Amino acid sequence: MRDISCHDTGLKPNMQRSGPIKRLLQTFTLFAIVIMATGQGWAQSVPVVSGARIGVHPDSTRLVFELDRDLPYKVFTLADPYRVVIELPEVSWRVPEKRMKASVGIVSGFRFGLFQPGNSRVVIDINSPAAVKGHFTIPASLGKPQRIVIDLATVSAADFASGPRSVQSANWANPARTPQSAPRPQAPRNDDKRVVILDPGHGGVDPGTIGGSGVYEKNITLKVAKAAKKILEASGRYRVFLTRNRDIYVRLRDRFEVAHQNNAELFLSLHADSIRNRKIRGGSIYTLSDKASDKEAEDLAAKENKSDIIAGADLTGYAPEVSRVLIDLAQSDTNKESWHLARQLIGELKGEIKLLRVSHRYAGFAVLKSPNVPSALVELGYLSNRLDEKNLKNPAHHRRIGNALLRAVDKYFTRKDQNNRS
Ligand SMILES: [Zn+2]
């Protein structure tokens, strides 16, 4: 058996097992270990994270990750809001889909997923500044899997600002950074198909909202986008690109960059909301504005604009467009087109899915901030409502939405062509 590797910590891993201390610990199991009878051959290629736990110790909060092999890792902290990010190579998360909300010790939230190709992440929200007090790995033994253990301790805001912000395992090597995780530009085309971008909201380490049954918004939006792409392309009139093809995080700005790279004429962002009042159901269409149509639209935009923060992205050095959306003059013509697009979407979707009474709203959505590509954000319904959630999990419903989107896009371009001719 290999020695336990310890890094700048006085804590011994067997603290976990010692009787008196164990009794002091209030350990909350967030995710059960998944026993995989079938996954062994497959696990040879992609590392698997099979469990994650948070435990409260007298003077620290302990994070334990269970893996099928020894993996390099890096831990760093971020401020505004305070977060701890654990970087890993690309891994497969074999933990049950369930609510990611954790309120344990200084931890107020917890999520994981793919951050960019080759690089997975765990992002932990903490309710006070903290530092990594110790970290080590425990090799697999006695039927227990390989583990990474990270101890966090509260520090003052001043110590947080001046102290070290990152630690890593001895075998950590920075993953190859791709400039962006969005699809690359395509080769020039010689047909006259129009290019439409479908943007499945959220992804990877940003799950979006979580339905009552445990379904993730990020998975619903991807399924709807794939179904709609198939339907739009089958018409022979459109070439459709998705801002993501799999369960991966994509920065908000990279999403509308895909539209520019591909000379797209339309951008549709797909989402599903949740709300405290579980009786409320229905979809709605949003367009960009620096003044929100109402308080709910403003709150929704603020929520959707948090994607980069949720994913633990370091936005240092970027323009503040994620937190504040400014509309420039170049956008006003595009915004008029977006308004027409929204009207067509409502006209076609209302026969297929239930819409809210006020179905067209506007607010400062960062993902819609493309200066020259007409854009709209479609909230497909509420995952907090049982009926909406049931529909949004149904492939037939995805096709209904896809057909409505096709008719709306057709009508939008028919009107545009008529206007160009007259
Ligand atoms: Zn969303």
Side-chain angles (χ1 to χ4, degrees), residues 184-241:
R184 314 265 109 221
Q186 305 298 311
R189 299 170 307 273
N190 52 10
D191 59 43
D192 55 0
K193 287 182 183 174
R194 305 185 108 135
V195 176
V196 172
I197 306 296
L198 295 179
D199 172 47
H202 312 276
V205 75
D206 169 18
T209 195
I210 301 169
S213 73
V215 69
Y216 294 166
E217 179 185 357
K218 66 176 182 178
N219 295 339
I220 300 276
T221 59
L222 184 58
K223 281 180 183 151
V224 173
K226 283 181 171 172
K229 174 183 161 76
K230 217 181 244 179
I231 288 166
L232 263 76
E233 290 194 332
S235 74
R237 295 186 286 282
Y238 306 106
R239 192 178 302 281
V240 178
F241 296 106

Side-chain angles (χ1 to χ4, degrees), residues 230-302:
K230 217 181 244 179
I231 288 166
L232 263 76
E233 290 194 332
S235 74
R237 295 186 286 282
Y238 306 106
R239 192 178 302 281
V240 178
F241 296 106
L242 305 188
T243 54
R244 64 181 177 94
N245 288 305
R246 58 177 180 148
D247 185 13
I248 187 168
Y249 160 73
V250 181
R251 288 190 309 180
L252 291 173
R253 65 174 57 235
D254 290 342
R255 292 172 186 262
F256 64 74
E257 269 306 312
V258 175
H260 298 160
Q261 287 167 358
N262 293 287
N263 297 319
E265 292 186 63
L266 270 191
F267 179 95
L268 287 178
S269 191
L270 304 173
H271 289 261
D273 200 6
S274 69
I275 195 165
R276 197 179 292 260
N277 182 346
R278 290 174 173 267
K279 284 189 186 138
I280 295 178
R281 58 177 297 239
S284 44
I285 316 296
Y286 292 81
T287 50
L288 181 69
S289 168
D290 48 7
K291 279 195 192 69
S293 53
D294 52 78
K295 181 76 171 72
E296 282 120 43
E298 190 180 330
D299 291 349
L300 179 70

Side-chain angles (χ1 to χ4, degrees), residues 26-33 52-55 98 104:
Q26 211 186 344
T27 302
F28 296 80
T29 300
L30 288 176
F31 307 102
I33 302 167
R53 294 195 302 277
I54 302 175
K98 57 197 296 190
V104 181

